Amino acid sequence: MGKKEKQFVEEITPMEVDFPQWYTDVILKTDLVDYSPVKGFMVIKPYGYAIWENIQSYLDAKFKETGHKNCYFPLLIPESLLNKEAEHVEGFAPEVAWVTHGGKNELSERLCVRPTSETIICSMYSKWLKSYRDLPYLYNQWCSVVRWEKSTRPFLRTSEFLWQEGHTLHETYEEAQEETLQMLNIYKEMCENLLAIPVVTGRKSDREKFAGAEATYTIEALMHDGKALQSGTSHFLGQHFTKAFEIQYSDREGNLANPYHTSWGVSTRLIGGLIMVHGDNRGLVLPPRVAPTQVVIVPIAAHKGNVMDKVDEIYKDLKTSIRVEVDDRPNYSPGWKFNEWEMKGVPLRIEIGPKDIENNQVVIFRRDTLEKQQVSMDNLKETIEDLLNNIHNTLFTKALEMREKKTYAVSNLDEFKKILDETPGFIKAMWCGDEKCEEKIKEETGATIRCMPFEQENISDKCLCCDKEAGKMVYFARAY
Amino acid sequence: MGKKEKQFVEEITPMEVDFPQWYTDVILKTDLVDYSPVKGFMVIKPYGYAIWENIQSYLDAKFKETGHKNCYFPLLIPESLLNKEAEHVEGFAPEVAWVTHGGKNELSERLCVRPTSETIICSMYSKWLKSYRDLPYLYNQWCSVVRWEKSTRPFLRTSEFLWQEGHTLHETYEEAQEETLQMLNIYKEMCENLLAIPVVTGRKSDREKFAGAEATYTIEALMHDGKALQSGTSHFLGQHFTKAFEIQYSDREGNLANPYHTSWGVSTRLIGGLIMVHGDNRGLVLPPRVAPTQVVIVPIAAHKGNVMDKVDEIYKDLKTSIRVEVDDRPNYSPGWKFNEWEMKGVPLRIEIGPKDIENNQVVIFRRDTLEKQQVSMDNLKETIEDLLNNIHNTLFTKALEMREKKTYAVSNLDEFKKILDETPGFIKAMWCGDEKCEEKIKEETGATIRCMPFEQENISDKCLCCDKEAGKMVYFARAY
């Protein structure tokens, strides 16, 4: 390792030494994000935002394929609307920002900055919906929301974050259930196929569900440090809100009925997951499909002969289907550039120098395996495309193996605590379904039920906590 | 005109009778937008939002082509930051929404919901910028902003609106000037090429410029009712903010310097312009490139023979390059559908019935000219693409002719008032440059200087108002 390389690496605290510091070092030094003058609010810098744009365009296409349309509802919600659904207001009122003045005038009613938009959207749906012929309503919005958080970390928990929120209405219970699970499945597929992150899917316990939901479904991912990250949720809201907001329509028999309701969302939190699943002590490792730059070309001895011509030729060839950049900054050495792009997690680097041109080859460096190889310039685009797919698959497999290694089946609380202290991860255990046991485990260990997974296993016959009969296997973990 | 047609048309107040009511009827009945429970805040419904998405994707591509990157800055701005640039706070403080509480706690400092983001962005730029090597900064964000307005109209003036705001820093005065005008030009080109709206480009008077700008440039469009709509602005901010926020970098000589600064934005207001430039008494007329649905296919006698097969075949052929929909709703007659799609401004309608299939033809209806024609099914996609381009050009030409007809060159104030009262429009007149004349004209007529156009003409030698020597031709109008 040369001096320059060392310098770069030393800027990032090794994750084994201090994982939270490693995370902070990575997000700041790779220019993903910065702290803002407002406590708990982050600035998403261009490199971080470009990742979000890739997530957005992937999901937005899926939403549209499945018949959803985008729209936009007001940022501010009157207090009286927030108060309409009892569980909802209890869950959200303590963490909203209140607007009390417009210009110099005090408002007659306080407005909260939306923490989520069920209430304002339902107030509109109740105005719009007339007949079963109008159903389903399949709407989504991309926006920011504000939740006043006491302790924050960029991407993972901030007082403002970017997200999408889908809000749908359906004629029947079954149709709404189907929608809830369809959207969860789209999230899962996006995590796997775009972010190379394996997720466990399942249902939240009542204690952990969305305020106002009948059932919340979740995708849960496991981070390097063995903590879980709730990465997306889809809520079956039943008729809780549609009754509270008097959303009624005339059904097929001509009677007034309340529709069934879902909502679902993912946020910029996913970027935090991306970092903590794939990153290493050199910095980011970005899966190719979501990487803002998939390939960087670094010319070697750029001043010599036809190097820049060849670089330009390859660049033009690749960029028809690949997000490629040329780093031709004159003031930086190739070694410096290598290190910077490695830290920024660009999946592939191409080096081209005079000798490579002579030999009709280029040098390719893979960020995921840190391997260098020489490949022919012939069919270079196909080679690169194959490599990018290979990197995606390699990262996914590695993440899956990591998760499997850190997933434990446990049948007693002592073992449970030992694992959490020594080798944290997902713990599969049986639960009787009693909230008291859930509470007790949380108090004693800091771990929560992440989900009741769709894929069940029988680990024992008794509840981990109370020894009562238990037919339900759940995933526990400490979580972000 | 049949009964059904009449019914549709009667729902919309004719624009000659009551233009504001016509506008309101059109935006509500075509499902572009709705009023929300929060006064002055609008809900953008899917059909309206889809127009915004088309504007976004067009502009975003242009921004990226010219080297800009997207990012995201906090929604809330501390009062102390807003106060840093004197003119800016004077302009915006009276119209911001104030957050005073987070959850149950009163904040130690009030935060305003961003009315525009110069201040928060400059506070970050001052932290980030180190060297001339980092310049230019070419960043943009898509977001919503809040300005507490007393009287509002959907799209045209609302307390919250969606927009993009670009914020750039440059080494030199010239470079920043160039950027300011480059972005204005992108806006102009977008108006003409996407929205089919001709615009006058020029500089704002000091009275009308952005609070804190050295110079504001604008694109101004003329509506059907002879009122002007400021449709986009680009500000040359000089060093006003970069000095107030102590943004400094070490320049090529190693000295500390303040960079030059621009900002520029367009908003959902453009949709209001789109309606008021092209709409007619039947409703919307959407230029094809921005229309969410460019072509609607209405099957005639859909139950008969192979009608739906043929419809499906044509649909699949067209949709590879055209935004096309099939209206196969069983409960509505073709006549009803025709009227609804006409009201919604879809540029082209294709009717296909058994007889058309026999004759290897379809009937095509143009929304802009209300003409029906029969065209062959052979090469239908090419025919449609040509027609869509033709509609765009026809709409642009019509709008330009309307504007030219309503643009008057005037050299005395009596004539000026007479025109404004009888046949309002743009009035070109000479101005001495004194703000007193500008004020006086505004007080007496309600008209403001829309811009000092880049394309100058010599209408007379004297100021319209004070008879002093005047070398500057300006556009006056009453405006939204």
Side-chain angles (χ1 to χ4, degrees):
Chain A
M1 204 182 274
K3 225 187 209 170
K4 285 263 172 72
E5 263 179 311
K6 253 191 181 158
Q7 181 201 317
F8 261 93
V9 173
E10 279 168 7
E11 284 181 9
I12 296 175
T13 307
M15 58 172 84
E16 302 77 18
V17 173
D18 183 346
F19 193 79
Q21 190 57 48
W22 168 83
Y23 179 79
T24 304
D25 288 348
V26 169
I27 56 173
L28 294 181
K29 285 182 202 306
T30 59
D31 268 342
L32 291 177
V33 77
D34 201 358
Y35 300 104
S36 85
V38 197
K39 200 176 157 285
F41 286 66
M42 62 178 167
V43 173
I44 307 181
K45 298 179 84 171
Y47 198 53
Y49 199 84
I51 294 175
W52 181 238
E53 287 182 303
N54 288 337
I55 294 172
Q56 277 193 302
S57 72
Y58 187 94
L59 277 180
D60 200 66
K62 298 277 172 195
F63 295 163
K64 284 174 177 156
E65 273 168 31
T66 45
H68 301 85
K69 290 180 177 180
N70 289 329
C71 44
Y72 188 77
F73 291 86
L75 172 71
L76 303 180
I77 302 175
E79 186 165 16
S80 56
L81 275 188
L82 192 72
N83 290 345
K84 276 206 173 183
E85 209 285 334
E87 285 180 28
H88 189 71
V89 63
E90 200 188 312
F92 282 104
E95 55 178 49
V96 297
W98 292 104
V99 171
T100 56
H101 290 73
K104 294 195 171 162
N105 303 318
E106 190 167 353
L107 305 179
S108 59
E109 181 182 11
R110 297 199 299 177
L111 304 169
C112 78
V113 182
R114 65 175 160 238
T116 178
S117 300
E118 278 76 8
T119 55
I120 185 102
I121 291 180
C122 281
S123 81
M124 298 309 297
Y125 283 179
S126 81
K127 183 176 168 190
W128 296 340
L129 185 64
K130 304 283 180 230
S131 155
Y132 72 91
R133 285 193 198 87
D134 308 331
L135 292 173
Y137 274 11
L138 303 173
Y139 300 146
N140 175 66
Q141 77 176 355
W142 293 93
C143 62
S144 84
V145 289
V146 169
R147 298 176 186 178
W148 219 255
E149 300 280 359
K150 287 199 185 78
S151 92
T152 58
R153 309 196 59 200
F155 295 126
L156 299 173
R157 189 171 296 277
T158 43
S159 290
E160 182 190 18
F161 55 87
L162 303 181
W163 81 343
Q164 60 65 220
E165 45 179 330
H167 296 266
T168 71
L169 294 182
H170 306 266
E171 256 188 286
T172 65
Y173 184 99
E174 293 70 28
E175 221 184 287
Q177 266 287 357
E178 216 170 273
E179 167 81 3
T180 312
L181 296 179
Q182 171 185 255
M183 301 323 287
L184 189 78
N185 218 39
I186 285 177
Y187 291 157
K188 175 179 192 279
E189 192 272 334
M190 179 270 298
C191 279
E192 294 174 354
N193 207 30
L194 181 72
L195 309 181
I197 296 178
V199 292
V200 174
T201 53
R203 184 175 164 173
K204 286 280 180 192
S205 67
D206 281 351
R207 196 186 171 281
E208 299 284 335
K209 75 182 181 192
F210 177 76
E214 198 159 312
T216 287
Y217 300 89
T218 181
I219 51 171
E220 299 280 329
L222 196 67
M223 306 295 106
H224 262 318
D225 61 347
K227 284 170 82 173
L229 186 76
Q230 176 181 306
S231 305
T233 46
S234 185
H235 314 297
F236 177 71
L237 302 169
Q239 296 175 316
H240 295 204
F241 287 86
T242 64
K243 284 184 175 165
F245 283 85
E246 295 170 41
I247 307 179
Q248 290 186 317
Y249 67 96
S250 126
D251 70 11
R252 285 168 199 269
E253 283 76 44
N255 303 315
L256 279 182
N258 298 105
Y260 292 87
H261 182 201
T262 87
S263 69
W264 27 273
V266 296
S267 75
T268 36
R269 178 164 238 227
L270 287 168
I271 300 173
L274 199 60
I275 298 160
M276 292 195 294
V277 166
H278 301 300
D280 64 20
N281 284 339
R282 289 176 183 235
L284 290 176
V285 179
L286 293 177
R289 292 172 199 159
V290 78
T293 302
Q294 299 174 305
V295 175
V296 62
I297 305 176
V298 179
I300 312 293
H303 55 283
K304 277 199 188 154
N306 55 350
V307 170
M308 285 316 294
D309 292 342
K310 199 71 200 176
V311 163
D312 200 49
E313 186 189 317
I314 291 174
Y315 169 74
K316 281 183 180 146
D317 178 38
L318 295 185
K319 90 174 165 143
T320 55
S321 64
I322 292 164
R323 294 188 291 272
V324 57
E325 267 189 58
V326 175
D327 185 353
D328 55 2
R329 289 175 294 176
N331 300 315
Y332 298 88
S333 71
W336 198 95
K337 293 176 182 175
F338 294 175
N339 287 313
E340 193 187 31
W341 293 110
E342 281 172 35
M343 187 172 75
K344 295 195 105 171
V346 172
L348 280 182
R349 176 177 78 233
I350 299 178
E351 304 165 17
I352 306 175
K355 275 208 177 149
D356 301 307
I357 295 171
E358 258 173 45
N359 298 329
N360 191 42
Q361 66 174 35
V362 299
V363 173
I364 290 187
F365 172 82
R366 274 177 74 145
R367 176 62 181 91
D368 61 333
T369 57
L370 305 176
E371 286 165 358
K372 264 195 184 191
Q373 61 186 112
Q374 290 168 337
V375 308
S376 166
M377 283 198 198
D378 302 335
N379 302 316
L380 186 59
K381 189 155 84 172
E382 288 68 31
T383 309
I384 300 276
E385 280 168 350
D386 287 347
L387 271 169
L388 291 174
N389 278 324
N390 187 290
I391 293 173
H392 176 89
N393 295 335
T394 304
L395 286 174
F396 181 77
T397 304
K398 205 174 143 195
L400 188 60
E401 283 168 2
M402 184 268 281
R403 187 187 81 188
E404 280 170 359
K405 205 185 116 202
K406 294 188 181 183
T407 300
Y408 310 88
V410 164
S411 58
N412 75 71
L413 204 49
D414 287 338
E415 203 187 338
F416 186 98
K417 288 175 185 170
K418 190 163 176 269
I419 285 171
L420 276 180
D421 286 344
E422 291 173 9
T423 55
F426 274 141
I427 302 184
K428 299 191 281 194
M430 303 308 285
W431 175 50
C432 63
D434 192 332
E435 212 166 301
K436 278 181 205 147
C437 290
E438 192 182 5
E439 285 279 4
K440 191 182 161 203
I441 292 169
K442 187 178 177 190
E443 266 167 39
E444 290 185 15
T445 69
T448 50
I449 295 179
R450 302 319 304 155
C451 72
M452 306 179 277
F454 295 136
E455 279 186 37
Q456 283 284 319
E457 293 167 47
N458 189 33
I459 287 162
S460 84
D461 298 327
K462 290 179 177 171
C463 175
L464 172 79
C465 183
C466 70
D467 269 0
K468 262 186 242 157
E469 213 170 304
K472 204 174 283 165
M473 189 268 276
V474 301
Y475 274 83
F476 285 95
R478 293 198 185 116
Y480 281 96
Chain B
M1 205 182 277
K3 225 188 210 170
K4 285 263 173 72
E5 261 179 315
K6 252 192 182 159
Q7 181 200 320
F8 260 93
V9 172
E10 278 168 9
E11 284 182 11
I12 295 173
T13 308
M15 59 171 85
E16 302 77 18
V17 173
D18 183 344
F19 193 80
Q21 189 57 49
W22 168 82
Y23 179 78
T24 304
D25 289 348
V26 170
I27 56 173
L28 294 181
K29 286 182 200 305
T30 57
D31 268 341
L32 291 177
V33 77
D34 200 0
Y35 299 104
S36 86
V38 196
K39 199 174 159 285
F41 286 66
M42 64 178 164
V43 173
I44 306 180
K45 298 180 84 171
Y47 198 54
Y49 199 84
I51 294 175
W52 182 236
E53 287 182 303
N54 289 336
I55 294 172
Q56 276 192 304
S57 72
Y58 187 94
L59 276 180
D60 201 66
K62 297 278 173 194
F63 295 162
K64 284 174 178 156
E65 272 168 31
T66 45
H68 301 85
K69 290 180 177 180
N70 288 329
C71 44
Y72 187 76
F73 291 86
L75 172 71
L76 303 180
I77 302 174
E79 186 165 16
S80 55
L81 275 188
L82 191 72
N83 290 345
K84 275 206 173 184
E85 210 285 333
E87 284 179 28
H88 188 71
V89 63
E90 201 189 310
F92 282 105
E95 57 177 48
V96 295
W98 291 105
V99 171
T100 58
H101 290 72
K104 293 194 171 163
N105 303 316
E106 190 167 353
L107 304 179
S108 58
E109 181 183 9
R110 297 200 299 177
L111 304 169
C112 77
V113 182
R114 65 176 160 236
T116 178
S117 301
E118 277 75 9
T119 56
I120 186 102
I121 291 180
C122 281
S123 82
M124 296 310 297
Y125 283 179
S126 81
K127 183 177 168 188
W128 296 341
L129 185 63
K130 304 283 181 229
S131 155
Y132 72 91
R133 285 193 196 88
D134 308 331
L135 292 173
Y137 274 13
L138 303 174
Y139 300 147
N140 175 66
Q141 78 176 354
W142 293 93
C143 63
S144 84
V145 289
V146 169
R147 297 177 186 177
W148 219 255
E149 299 282 358
K150 288 202 184 75
S151 93
T152 58
R153 310 197 58 201
F155 295 125
L156 299 172
R157 189 171 296 277
T158 44
S159 289
E160 182 189 17
F161 55 87
L162 302 181
W163 80 342
Q164 59 67 219
E165 45 179 329
H167 296 267
T168 71
L169 295 182
H170 306 265
E171 256 187 287
T172 64
Y173 184 99
E174 292 70 29
E175 222 185 286
Q177 266 286 358
E178 217 170 90
E179 167 82 4
T180 312
L181 297 178
Q182 172 186 257
M183 301 324 288
L184 189 78
N185 219 39
I186 285 178
Y187 292 157
K188 176 180 192 280
E189 192 272 336
M190 179 271 298
C191 280
E192 295 174 353
N193 206 31
L194 181 71
L195 309 180
I197 297 178
V199 292
V200 174
T201 53
R203 184 174 165 173
K204 286 280 180 193
S205 67
D206 282 351
R207 196 186 171 281
E208 300 284 336
K209 75 182 180 192
F210 176 76
E214 198 160 311
T216 287
Y217 300 89
T218 181
I219 50 172
E220 300 280 330
L222 195 68
M223 306 295 106
H224 262 319
D225 62 347
K227 283 170 82 174
L229 186 76
Q230 176 181 306
S231 306
T233 46
S234 186
H235 314 296
F236 177 71
L237 302 168
Q239 297 175 316
H240 294 204
F241 287 86
T242 65
K243 284 184 173 164
F245 284 84
E246 295 170 43
I247 307 179
Q248 290 186 317
Y249 67 97
S250 129
D251 71 12
R252 285 167 200 268
E253 283 76 43
N255 303 316
L256 280 181
N258 298 107
Y260 292 86
H261 182 201
T262 87
S263 70
W264 27 273
V266 296
S267 75
T268 36
R269 179 164 237 226
L270 286 168
I271 300 173
L274 199 60
I275 299 161
M276 293 195 293
V277 166
H278 300 301
D280 64 20
N281 285 339
R282 289 175 184 235
L284 290 176
V285 179
L286 293 177
R289 291 171 201 161
V290 79
T293 302
Q294 298 175 305
V295 175
V296 62
I297 305 176
V298 179
I300 311 293
H303 55 283
K304 277 197 188 153
N306 56 349
V307 170
M308 285 315 292
D309 292 342
K310 200 72 201 173
V311 163
D312 200 49
E313 186 189 317
I314 290 174
Y315 169 74
K316 281 183 181 144
D317 177 38
L318 295 184
K319 89 174 165 143
T320 56
S321 64
I322 292 164
R323 294 188 292 273
V324 57
E325 267 189 58
V326 175
D327 185 353
D328 55 3
R329 289 176 293 176
N331 301 315
Y332 298 87
S333 70
W336 198 95
K337 292 175 183 177
F338 293 175
N339 287 313
E340 193 186 32
W341 293 110
E342 281 173 35
M343 187 172 76
K344 294 195 105 169
V346 171
L348 278 182
R349 176 176 78 231
I350 300 178
E351 305 166 18
I352 306 174
K355 275 208 177 149
D356 299 308
I357 295 171
E358 257 172 46
N359 298 328
N360 190 43
Q361 66 174 33
V362 299
V363 174
I364 289 187
F365 172 83
R366 274 178 75 145
R367 176 61 181 92
D368 62 330
T369 57
L370 306 176
E371 286 165 359
K372 265 194 185 193
Q373 60 186 111
Q374 292 168 337
V375 307
S376 165
M377 283 199 199
D378 302 334
N379 302 317
L380 186 59
K381 190 155 83 170
E382 288 67 30
T383 308
I384 300 277
E385 280 168 351
D386 287 349
L387 270 170
L388 291 174
N389 277 325
N390 187 291
I391 293 173
H392 175 89
N393 294 335
T394 305
L395 285 174
F396 181 79
T397 305
K398 204 174 145 195
L400 188 60
E401 282 168 4
M402 184 268 281
R403 186 188 81 188
E404 279 169 0
K405 206 184 116 203
K406 294 187 182 183
T407 301
Y408 310 87
V410 165
S411 57
N412 76 72
L413 205 49
D414 287 338
E415 202 187 339
F416 185 99
K417 288 176 185 170
K418 189 162 177 269
I419 285 170
L420 276 181
D421 287 344
E422 291 173 9
T423 55
F426 274 139
I427 303 183
K428 299 190 281 193
M430 304 308 285
W431 175 50
C432 64
D434 192 331
E435 211 166 302
K436 278 181 205 146
C437 290
E438 191 181 4
E439 284 280 4
K440 191 183 161 202
I441 292 169
K442 186 176 179 193
E443 266 167 39
E444 289 186 13
T445 68
T448 49
I449 295 179
R450 302 318 305 155
C451 71
M452 306 179 276
F454 295 137
E455 279 187 37
Q456 284 284 318
E457 294 167 47
N458 189 34
I459 288 162
S460 85
D461 299 328
K462 288 180 179 172
C463 176
L464 172 79
C465 181
C466 70
D467 269 0
K468 261 186 242 156
E469 210 171 307
K472 204 174 282 167
M473 188 269 274
V474 302
Y475 275 83
F476 284 95
R478 292 196 186 120
Y480 281 96

